[in-house]
Amino acid sequence: MATRRWENGFVRWIDARFPIFTAAQHQLYEYPMPGNLNYWWNFGSIAGVILVVMIFSGIFLAMQYQPNVADAFDSVERIMRDVNYGWLMRYVHQTGSSLFFACVYVHIFRGFYYGSYKTPREITWLTGCLIFFVMMATAFMGYVLVWGQMSFWAATVITNLFTAVPGIGESITTWLWGGYAVANPTLNRFYALHYLLPFVIFAIVAMHLIALHTTHSNNPLGVDMKGPQDTIPFHPYYTVKDLVGLGAFATLFAILVFFAPDVLSEPDNFIPADPLVTPEHIVPEWYFLPYYAILRAVPDIGPIPAKLAGVIAMFGATLIWFLVPWLDTSKVRSARFRPLYRVFFWVLVVDCLVLGWCGKQLPEGIFLTISRIAAAYYFFHFIVLLPLLGLFERPRPLPYSISAPILKPGTTSAAGRLELAAAAAGDKVRP
Amino acid sequence: MDTADRHAPEPTPQGRPLTAREESERARVQALLDTRYMADLGPVEAGWGRRQFLFVTSVATAFAGLNFFVWPFIDSLNPAADVQALASTEVDLTPIEVGQSITVVWRGKPIFIRHRTEAEIAAARSVDLSKLPDPQPDTARTLKPEWLVVVGICNHLGCIPRGQRPTDPHGAYNGWFCPCHGSHFDTSGRIRKGPAPNNLAVPQYTFIDDEHIRIG
């Protein structure tokens, strides 16, 4: 990053002391982006925007919310009825959490499909997994703050997971509660942590981006950028592409907020929390359903009782993502060139959807059987399939570079060639 | 990086000469690249081209949209409906003896209600208006001469003037005295001496009947 001569004297003065303009120039114009990113690459930036929207709306909600068991539910209703635009802020926050997870799931599965976790991008992947983990904790605690029936019993069920820990389980749970049941101390600490954790996420996002900008973006072909003919500057090409995606996403967001704000959430949470009555059927928000299915599916495994095994499996379902860069033995990144992995990727997607569907049902009869098969397959995919596929699969020939297919007719479709040509052209327009 | 090199298509990995079909493809792509490069130089004619128009209108629309997004958040900090619902206060005047003052709370602010004596009314009405910092006749500040209703907040910097209790200092004009910066108010709540720029404000109020008022 050489010292750049800025024409404007004021800009030059600032830049010599705080090189924000040079950094922006570097990240927007000099930082090489692969020319062939498709719309699946939009979801990272969209997730970043939602994080900001969540923090923004959350801070304003916090100014109206009362973190006390006597007032919490009523204060949420006051936000809905009395506070100016309170309904809007709350629905933005509530819908935002759902769509945040939706985006992040697409972002993660894009990583699975195109092998974005493979060397040299392991740290980008690991920080991403960490973000997801903290997100789950944040979303759970935020859900409890509403203090409806589902909030209360979700808090009870999730904190009770820790009683499965042998020996010290009860003590851990008492410590989490700050009492002998979910009560006011629990609500207070959840409120404090729910305010804190988004900023922790923000910091990990910064790490995620530093790692990303060190190793550069993966791309749909999964081959490295070989030179300027493969790259285009971020601005204006990907700023505009990101904005197009963001516009479409914001439209969906607005439709949900204004016309179907409660479609993604549980009606039981409109009943104030009652520590003496459990709702007939407790289910988490949709984004936790697959995990919930796994939790309930696991039977006794050898000496491990079902309760502990279920908890291990549920946490393991996310923790196993941390190992994916080393479980996948294939050197080829993109599933476009991995005929078998490509099939199993979609099987995994369907498997997760089936788990989600089972999580919504009562854990008995056919649903329990399906949950067990689907949960077993989930771990089979990561622990057995990923290592073996790399050893036995014969990948299709990779293009030499991102721009090479343009010059080798027949390697991609005509539309693909034009796309690549257009992408390659992007690099030429900066003087 | 030499700009010209960036335009040159990459050689085939094998380094062999291009076949006729590859050559025609290369020429087509090169033509595409050239076209885009020309287009990106911007409009040839001076003044506002389509590009600038689209840019400015897009940014203006985005900015307007941002304002629509931000306004609900700003407005959410304004008084909510339940706060506004408490915006009027009714007061029963029967227990207040002549010469007595009471303080009631309206919108979180102290309201001074004074049942004035004949002497106080006379004093308030006999003042030469031209000598007042904020000239206002007593008749314009009261609905009934014996009842004075004012907001008990000094409009200098928001302190509450003393003078509600008989033992309080009443200032040089037998009304109220603000201890913060020494403003003197008369028996009509008007500023007579000191830094306050205006008289004690008269809230909007009405007599429901002879013995009850509604403030707000």
Side-chain angles (χ1 to χ4, degrees):
Chain A
M1 210 191 306
T3 335
R4 188 173 280 276
R5 302 304 293 166
W6 296 96
E7 282 181 25
N8 185 303
F10 180 69
V11 170
R12 202 161 51 235
W13 189 91
I14 297 278
D15 203 69
R17 288 151 183 82
F18 186 73
I20 180 98
F21 297 103
T22 299
Q25 171 81 16
H26 180 67
Q27 296 302 337
L28 289 175
Y29 293 114
E30 293 155 13
Y31 172 75
M33 291 291 292
N36 59 336
L37 298 189
N38 56 32
Y39 274 107
W40 296 111
W41 260 261
N42 275 51
F43 288 86
S45 72
I46 293 175
V49 170
I50 308 181
L51 175 62
V52 173
V53 168
M54 292 301 280
I55 290 178
F56 195 71
S57 55
I59 287 173
F60 278 83
L61 288 172
M63 294 181 196
Q64 312 282 357
Y65 174 74
Q66 306 287 334
N68 183 297
V69 290
D71 306 326
F73 187 87
D74 289 345
S75 77
V76 173
E77 287 304 306
R78 177 179 173 271
I79 289 170
M80 294 299 293
R81 292 153 196 262
D82 287 348
V83 174
N84 302 322
Y85 294 104
W87 57 272
L88 180 61
M89 295 192 303
R90 173 157 184 249
Y91 280 149
V92 162
H93 204 69
Q94 180 185 310
T95 308
S97 69
S98 263
L99 291 185
F100 199 0
F101 273 94
C103 277
V104 166
Y105 280 135
V106 173
H107 191 59
I108 290 168
F109 275 79
R110 190 268 289 155
F112 281 139
Y113 189 84
Y114 293 110
S116 299
Y117 47 84
K118 291 185 190 183
T119 187
R121 300 188 182 84
E122 295 95 331
I123 301 284
T124 309
W125 178 259
L126 293 180
T127 49
C129 291
L130 198 58
I131 291 170
F132 182 71
F133 218 73
V134 182
M135 252 180 83
M136 295 208 303
T138 312
F140 159 65
M141 288 192 259
Y143 191 65
V144 173
L145 300 186
V146 181
W147 212 245
Q149 272 291 64
M150 278 297 171
S151 300
F152 183 88
W153 293 101
T156 302
V157 168
I158 299 299
T159 49
N160 263 309
L161 292 178
F162 293 91
T163 59
V165 180
I168 54 170
E170 293 287 345
S171 313
I172 292 177
T173 311
T174 306
W175 176 75
L176 287 174
W177 289 337
Y180 301 99
V182 174
N184 203 46
T186 326
L187 180 62
N188 281 178
R189 63 191 60 181
F190 278 17
Y191 180 55
L193 291 173
H194 185 69
Y195 205 115
L196 167 71
L197 289 181
F199 298 97
V200 173
I201 293 177
F202 207 85
I204 313 175
V205 167
M207 292 161 64
H208 194 59
L209 287 179
I210 290 169
L212 173 72
H213 279 224
T214 306
T215 55
H216 299 142
S217 290
N218 187 28
N219 65 77
L221 294 175
V223 297
D224 290 328
M225 292 179 279
K226 298 280 196 312
Q229 70 279 0
D230 291 342
T231 71
I232 52 174
F234 194 91
H235 183 76
Y237 295 96
Y238 286 119
T239 39
V240 166
K241 187 159 182 156
D242 278 351
L243 282 173
V244 170
L246 186 64
F249 176 79
T251 307
L252 172 69
F253 199 130
I255 289 171
L256 284 173
V257 165
F258 291 110
F259 299 105
D262 293 318
V263 76
L264 296 172
S265 60
E266 284 300 322
D268 268 19
N269 220 26
F270 286 109
I271 306 168
D274 183 349
L276 302 180
V277 180
T278 305
E280 274 187 25
H281 186 194
I282 302 187
V283 281
E285 296 288 275
W286 69 268
Y287 41 82
F288 289 146
L289 286 174
Y291 299 96
Y292 197 54
I294 291 175
L295 170 74
R296 301 185 304 182
V298 182
D300 292 336
I301 300 177
I304 309 171
K307 182 174 171 182
L308 179 57
V311 173
I312 292 173
M314 191 186 75
F315 282 105
T318 304
L319 291 176
I320 201 160
W321 292 353
F322 286 89
L323 299 176
V324 163
W326 297 278
L327 286 170
D328 189 343
T329 50
S330 173
K331 298 276 180 278
V332 177
R333 292 196 190 101
S334 174
R336 278 193 193 176
F337 304 103
R338 299 185 61 190
L340 287 178
Y341 176 73
R342 187 175 184 163
V343 173
F344 285 116
F345 168 84
W346 288 110
V347 175
L348 179 70
V349 171
V350 172
D351 186 58
C352 290
L353 294 175
V354 168
L355 278 171
W357 173 66
C358 287
K360 190 90 180 160
Q361 316 299 328
L362 288 169
E364 49 196 30
I366 184 73
F367 295 115
L368 189 58
T369 313
I370 296 174
S371 302
R372 286 187 173 160
I373 296 169
Y377 180 82
Y378 181 88
F379 288 101
F380 175 78
H381 175 94
F382 288 105
I383 297 172
V384 181
L385 269 180
L386 274 189
L388 289 184
L389 276 179
L391 301 178
F392 295 107
E393 182 183 49
R394 175 191 282 262
R396 289 166 51 204
L398 288 175
Y400 168 72
S401 72
I402 294 172
S403 58
I406 306 167
L407 299 167
K408 298 205 311 183
T411 48
T412 56
S413 66
R417 286 200 297 279
L418 270 176
E419 182 198 349
L420 290 164
D427 191 48
K428 315 291 190 287
V429 301
R430 306 304 317 175
Chain B
M1 176 80 50
D2 182 8
T3 317
D5 277 348
R6 292 173 159 213
H7 287 265
E10 185 177 63
T12 54
Q14 297 82 0
R16 60 177 165 73
L18 297 176
T19 64
R21 190 174 164 201
E22 285 170 346
E23 177 55 34
S24 81
E25 179 78 3
R26 191 202 63 78
R28 196 182 59 75
V29 171
Q30 186 66 59
L32 179 73
L33 299 184
D34 291 347
T35 319
R36 287 179 59 93
Y37 185 51
M38 297 284 286
D40 273 297
L41 288 176
V44 178
E45 72 275 17
W48 273 49
R50 189 172 57 172
R51 191 167 289 260
Q52 286 95 327
F53 177 78
L54 284 174
F55 177 76
V56 171
T57 48
S58 307
V59 170
T61 308
F63 191 74
L66 190 70
N67 280 304
F68 279 117
F69 180 74
V70 166
W71 170 246
F73 289 91
I74 295 171
D75 192 33
S76 75
L77 301 182
N78 276 322
D82 61 331
V83 177
Q84 294 194 342
L86 301 175
S88 72
T89 302
E90 284 184 19
V91 185
D92 179 6
L93 302 177
T94 40
I96 310 171
E97 302 291 337
V98 175
Q100 194 181 13
S101 284
I102 66 159
T103 305
V104 297
V105 177
W106 172 66
R107 287 184 176 175
K109 292 188 277 199
I111 302 295
F112 294 166
I113 301 176
R114 182 158 180 81
H115 197 169
R116 296 191 294 187
T117 61
E118 290 298 331
E120 284 169 347
I121 298 170
R125 302 214 155 174
S126 62
V127 174
D128 178 4
L129 290 185
S130 64
K131 290 185 179 162
L132 294 178
D134 183 11
Q136 213 176 13
D138 185 62
T139 47
R141 294 175 56 76
T142 50
L143 295 179
K144 293 184 177 181
E146 63 271 34
W147 293 105
L148 177 71
V149 181
V150 289
V151 178
I153 293 180
C154 174
N155 51 60
H156 177 222
L157 290 171
C159 295
I160 300 175
R162 308 289 300 273
Q164 284 292 84
R165 276 176 257 178
T167 50
D168 280 352
H170 292 271
Y173 297 88
N174 199 29
W176 290 270
F177 173 72
C178 183
C180 290
H181 305 96
S183 290
H184 299 253
F185 299 92
D186 66 13
T187 54
S188 186
R190 289 173 297 202
I191 178 68
R192 300 297 286 269
K193 199 168 82 176
N198 298 107
N199 303 332
L200 294 180
V202 178
Q204 190 189 359
Y205 70 97
T206 49
F207 275 87
I208 306 169
D209 54 47
D210 281 351
E211 307 297 341
H212 294 83
I213 58 169
R214 182 191 291 121
I215 308 170

